[in-house]
Amino acid sequence: EDQVTQSPEALRLQEGESSSLNCSYTVSGLRGLFWYRQDPGKGPEFLFTLYSAGEEKEKERLKATLTKKESFLHITAPKPEDSATYLCAVQNQAGTALIFGKGTTLSVSS
Amino acid sequence: NAGVTQTPKFRILKIGQSMTLQCTQDMNHNYMYWYRQDPGMGLKLIYYSVGAGITDKGEVPNGYNVSRSTTEDFPLRLELAAPSQTSVYFCASSPALGGETQYFGPGTRLLVL
C-alpha cells in the first residue's frame, strides 16, 4: 500500500536555527515526490518536485533532497515567515492522485 | 491568470441538505481533482477527472458526486449532507497524470450540523 509518513508532527525553531523535516514513503515505482507549503486557511502551495534518488532542489532557505526511501526538507536560517505546515506527497501507483502525509507544522519565532 | 478558484469559501449545512461546491481553473489543464482535508490528517482524494465527460472515484467517494462538462469546471455535489462530511475541500488541477505538479485552489470549509 502506498504510504507517506512525515516527522516530526510539529517543530518549533528560533529564527536562524536550521533544521530538517523528514518524509518517508513506500510506493512501487516512484513517479514523483512533491513538497507543498500550506498556510492556515489556504490551499497547498507547490514548492518542489523530485523524481530520482540523489536529486536536490533549492528555493531561498529551503532545500529538498531525495533518497530511495525518504526525502528531507532542509531549512537554513529560518525566518518567522517560514512558519507554515509543510506537506509531502507521492504519486500513487496508478498515477491518478497524490498520497499525502499528515504534514509537519513549523513555527519559527524571532 | 487566476489559477484554481473555489466557491463558496465557507458554508454551514444542516443534516440532509444538499449543495454543490464549485471549482474552476483557467490553466487549460485536462486533469482535475477533489480532496478533503480533516484536522490532523492528510488530504484524501474524493474524485478525479481526466477530461471533459470522464470522471473516476478516488479513495473516499461515498456521499459525493461529480460531473465534468467543460475543461474549466469540476463541481462536487453533496446530496444528503452528514456530520462526517464536515471538512475542508480542495480542488486541484494538473496538466497531466503521473508525476505532474498539481495546483490547488484556496479551499471550501464546510460545516454540517
Side-chain angles (χ1 to χ4, degrees):
Chain A
E1 181 185 355
D2 300 335
Q3 195 167 5
V4 176
T5 303
Q6 291 187 248
S7 63
E9 290 185 11
L11 181 63
R12 292 183 177 273
L13 299 174
Q14 290 290 320
E15 185 172 4
E17 180 186 3
S18 301
S19 188
S20 297
L21 283 55
N22 177 265
C23 171
S24 61
Y25 62 91
T26 55
V27 63
S28 298
L30 183 68
R31 294 169 178 260
L33 185 139
F34 303 81
W35 282 99
Y36 286 84
R37 170 189 171 129
Q38 186 174 26
D39 292 304
K42 297 194 175 181
E45 177 186 349
F46 170 72
L47 292 173
F48 304 109
T49 307
L50 302 167
Y51 291 102
S52 56
E55 190 174 359
E56 300 181 351
K57 288 193 177 175
E58 289 187 65
K59 179 180 180 180
E60 296 181 354
R61 295 175 293 282
L62 300 176
K63 179 180 178 180
T65 62
L66 182 66
T67 72
K68 289 186 177 180
K69 293 188 176 181
E70 57 191 352
S71 176
F72 293 93
L73 185 65
H74 307 278
I75 303 176
T76 301
K79 298 182 178 181
E81 53 261 42
D82 295 322
S83 297
T85 296
Y86 291 86
L87 303 174
C88 174
V90 297
Q91 198 87 39
N92 64 357
Q93 288 189 37
T96 53
L98 295 178
I99 307 296
F100 280 87
K102 295 180 181 180
T104 294
T105 299
L106 173 66
S107 299
V108 182
S109 55
S110 56
Chain B
N1 200 349
V4 180
T5 57
Q6 294 182 238
T7 57
K9 290 184 180 180
F10 176 64
R11 182 79 180 268
I12 299 175
L13 280 183
K14 293 182 179 179
I15 295 172
Q17 285 186 322
S18 300
M19 77 164 293
T20 299
L21 283 65
Q22 301 292 344
C23 174
T24 300
Q25 55 93 6
D26 63 1
M27 296 175 283
N28 201 32
H29 288 169
N30 285 324
Y31 303 90
M32 297 187 73
Y33 315 82
W34 275 105
Y35 292 88
R36 60 176 287 172
Q37 185 178 39
D38 299 317
M41 304 297 290
L43 284 84
K44 302 289 186 183
L45 182 69
I46 305 171
Y47 270 94
Y48 69 97
S49 170
V50 301
I54 307 171
T55 63
D56 206 348
K57 296 177 181 179
E59 185 179 356
V60 290
N62 292 342
Y64 307 95
N65 278 299
V66 294
S67 60
R68 183 99 181 267
S69 57
T70 67
T71 300
E72 295 78 20
D73 300 309
F74 190 39
L76 178 71
R77 178 81 176 164
L78 282 71
E79 291 294 348
L80 293 169
S84 61
Q85 293 177 306
T86 293
S87 189
V88 181
Y89 293 85
F90 291 100
C91 179
S93 72
S94 67
L97 290 175
E100 291 287 340
T101 299
Q102 294 185 16
Y103 298 91
F104 285 80
T108 293
R109 186 179 171 207
L110 177 66
L111 182 60
V112 182
L113 299 174

